[in-house]
Amino acid sequence: MTVPAAEWAERALAEVLGQVASTADAVGERFPLYADPDTGEWTTTGRGSWAGGCWAGLLWLRARSTGAARDRAAASACTARLAGWVDADTSARGLILWYGTALAVEDAAAQELRARAAEACSAALDEELGLLPWGSAFGGPRLLARVDGLPGTVPLLALAGPAAAAAHLRQHLALCLPGSGTEACRARDLVPAWSHEGRAGWLACPEPAPGWSRGPAWLLLALADVLHRPAVAACLPGDPRGLAERLADAWTGPGAPLVPAADAARQDGPVDTSAAAVTAVALLKLSLLPGPRGEAYARRAEEILQHLVDRHVVRGRLLNGCYDADKGLAVRHQLVWGDFFLALGLAGSAGLADLRTV
């Protein structure tokens, strides 16, 4: 007997959120980043790094699922600990402060934090460069454009005004996806990071290199978010929906992978389940738009989520995520953002979260 999608997703989500409770007990007030696939021991950070919002988001999903006051209090306290990132110099504030607050719809403090973050990001937009730079918060040069500076940042900027959100995405598209305004653009052509070098202008960075698994996933997620914000989409040139559909083709066409290689140039190397989870959420978002492709996107997203749960989830832990293949860092691990986007996709399928607004 075939289990209905919502029922199957609800069962899988319960398993993942059960592990969230165990993780919360293990890390206390620190933030989990990645865990050893064999021992389950977490590497943690004090402030959450760029993935702190994903941990807060997981706690909010748990609170929604259980309805328990203690779980809501834990999620609220975790989100409050992200406040130091509001004025941090990084476009990763979107990943941190959008996903750390978007599910906290009944928490006044979280909503106030999100509003402050939106205004801070808008104020930090570099008008000359046309984007919010990657920044100096994590070290290295600050005048970078990185594709992972899009997810969460675009909807966060949209709260302050559609023009700022559109400018940030438009400049990243022009740099990271050559030919983004044409029918010929392909996800494999994506250049994930660029550095602004004074008179020389924008130069491609060697790391992360083209073929990085999360590059196309982050970009597709940002485009899906924009399409649910018509005022932002209207400020973009060309056809952003057509672009999103062309990028989605890489995941829905014949021979498309359910889980990509962490590095497309090393098909015999590690895979990256976190990229697959992000993509599943993006496809679910696209499926909620009116149009003939919605059913195909929803079906493919469900196939990806089921594959992750059946083949890569062990006792609620999504394994085989790859943090950094080039450095050999956490190449088959449980990653907190992988867990979050898996749980968010399952919550969307189960009707626990409205993916148009998260």
Side-chain angles (χ1 to χ4, degrees), residues 4-86:
E7 183 179 338
W8 169 86
E10 190 173 332
R11 291 178 185 175
L13 180 62
E15 182 181 4
V16 174
L17 295 181
Q19 179 60 37
V20 168
S22 298
T23 298
D25 290 340
V27 303
E29 292 193 356
R30 291 182 65 81
F31 290 83
L33 190 58
Y34 57 85
D36 184 277
D38 300 318
T39 67
E41 182 177 354
W42 283 96
T43 294
T44 64
T45 67
R47 299 178 63 224
S49 189
W50 61 269
C54 294
W55 175 235
L58 275 168
L59 292 176
W60 280 114
L61 283 172
R62 180 182 65 157
R64 283 193 177 198
S65 178
T66 66
R70 65 179 181 279
D71 291 340
R72 291 195 299 272
S76 182
C78 182
T79 293
R81 294 197 295 275
L82 298 174
W85 290 101
V86 168

Side-chain angles (χ1 to χ4, degrees), residues 91 130-134 144-150 167-177 191-192 194 219:
S91 58
L131 50 71
L132 179 63
W134 177 253
L144 299 179
R146 288 181 53 119
V147 70
D148 43 347
L150 290 175
H168 185 66
L169 177 57
R170 181 169 58 245
Q171 183 66 309
H172 278 80
L173 284 173
L175 291 169
C176 296
L177 195 62
V191 182
W194 293 76
L219 183 56

Side-chain angles (χ1 to χ4, degrees), residues 130-274:
L131 50 71
L132 179 63
W134 177 253
S136 60
F138 301 106
R142 70 175 301 273
L143 295 183
L144 299 179
R146 288 181 53 119
V147 70
D148 43 347
L150 290 175
T153 306
V154 169
L156 193 63
L157 282 168
L159 293 177
H168 185 66
L169 177 57
R170 181 169 58 245
Q171 183 66 309
H172 278 80
L173 284 173
L175 291 169
C176 296
L177 195 62
S180 59
T182 73
E183 289 293 332
C185 78
R186 297 167 297 185
R188 66 188 183 191
D189 296 327
L190 189 145
V191 182
W194 293 76
S195 175
H196 194 271
E197 303 294 342
R199 292 183 179 179
W202 289 104
L203 301 176
C205 298
E207 295 181 1
W212 177 46
S213 56
R214 288 194 296 281
W218 290 138
L219 183 56
L220 185 61
L221 181 64
L223 283 166
D225 280 332
V226 158
L227 295 173
H228 285 288
R229 291 163 177 81
V232 179
C235 295
L236 293 171
D239 178 15
R241 179 162 182 168
L243 175 58
E245 290 175 346
R246 294 196 295 277
L247 293 178
D249 286 346
W251 291 90
T252 59
L258 290 166
V259 177
D263 181 350
R266 297 164 54 191
Q267 290 294 318
D268 59 344
V271 298
D272 185 9
T273 55
S274 74

Side-chain angles (χ1 to χ4, degrees), residues 271-286:
V271 298
D272 185 9
T273 55
S274 74
V278 171
T279 301
V281 170
L283 290 173
L284 286 172
K285 285 174 177 282
L286 291 177

